[in-house]
Amino acid sequence: MTTRGGFVPSVVDRAWIESAAASLHPVLEMIEAAAGPDGIPILDREAGRVLTALAAGRRRIVEVGTAFGYSTLCMALGQPTDGTIATIDPDRSRTDRARGWWRQAGIPDGRIAVVNRPALDAFAAAAGEPALAGPFDLAFIDALKNEYAAYVEAIVPRLAPGALVIADNVLWAGRVSGGRPSKPGDATDVLRAFDTAMLRDPRFTATILPVGDGLLVAGLRG
């Protein structure tokens, strides 16, 4: 990524942005501290700030992949106070911990509905999961990489016109571009195919932001 004169934002530039930004919410810091020792993958802080900004004005959000609820809280802090989030993760032990952190951040329980099922099963059983009925104006995906494309197809009928679909890890630590070596079965090929399909999908206007591990942002045409 270059700009006029060949300038490429560096680690120094990113550090300056972080220093100039508002202080990170203390509960987000708590989740970061807990996730590392437990080996729980969470959204990169830089990408979290982007997600918070993109959630502004988005009142109905669906998330695939809750983990410790870091990205969930990023979005809840950015969306209007009357907004709601439906987040899907089959691991109740993780989402129970996430609920505790959301409460500490002052997010009312009624704003975040947790669906403890595998995501594709949950979408297929929509009649039994009213929280997933939509319409949603933002969808965030950060779960099983080989199911990303299937998540999008399940979510699209539930989206409002102009909704955003955001997916994390789409650069896969440099493996998708070939900048770092990949191994068979490490999801690189699946993510590369997903990225290419989304960037060329006529239903969306899409791009990839090189923040964190790569955020794909796609706006639904309509």
Side-chain angles (χ1 to χ4, degrees):
M1 180 180 66
T2 61
T3 58
R4 179 180 293 182
F7 168 72
V8 179
S10 68
V11 172
V12 174
D13 297 299
R14 288 192 161 101
W16 178 85
I17 293 170
E18 181 65 25
S19 70
S23 297
L24 191 71
H25 194 288
V27 176
L28 289 173
E29 292 185 339
M30 292 170 61
I31 300 174
E32 288 179 349
D38 287 355
I40 303 299
I42 62 170
L43 192 66
D44 176 271
R45 182 182 292 191
E46 184 181 37
R49 291 193 183 277
V50 173
L51 191 60
T52 299
L54 293 175
R58 307 282 171 172
R59 284 184 162 78
R60 299 198 66 190
I61 294 175
V62 62
E63 175 182 47
V64 182
T66 315
F68 274 1
Y70 186 89
S71 51
T72 323
L73 182 54
C74 286
M75 293 186 289
L77 293 171
Q79 72 174 166
T81 55
D82 62 348
T84 60
I85 299 174
T87 185
I88 311 169
D89 195 301
D91 191 330
R92 186 178 296 274
S93 65
R94 293 184 182 183
T95 60
D96 284 349
R97 294 185 70 182
R99 177 73 74 187
W101 281 309
W102 302 331
R103 288 171 177 163
Q104 289 185 63
I107 306 299
D109 286 358
R111 283 190 56 196
I112 302 176
V114 176
V115 178
N116 288 124
R117 301 180 66 168
L120 294 180
D121 290 350
F123 285 127
E129 299 291 353
L132 301 181
F136 298 106
D137 44 24
L138 188 153
F140 178 61
I141 298 170
D142 187 9
L144 299 175
K145 309 313 170 190
N146 63 349
E147 294 185 354
Y148 270 28
Y151 298 149
V152 170
E153 295 309 314
I155 289 168
V156 165
R158 298 170 166 85
L159 294 179
L164 293 178
V165 174
I166 305 168
D168 189 31
N169 303 125
V170 298
L171 294 179
W172 212 219
R175 294 188 289 270
V176 163
S177 67
R180 292 180 62 186
S182 61
K183 299 178 181 178
D186 69 358
T188 298
D189 291 343
V190 172
L191 283 168
R192 185 181 295 121
F194 171 77
D195 293 348
T196 302
M198 288 295 292
L199 291 171
R200 299 176 182 178
D201 192 321
R203 297 173 295 180
F204 296 98
T205 300
T207 191
I208 293 174
L209 305 180
V211 296
D213 196 20
L215 281 180
L216 183 139
V217 180
L220 183 68
R221 300 178 187 268

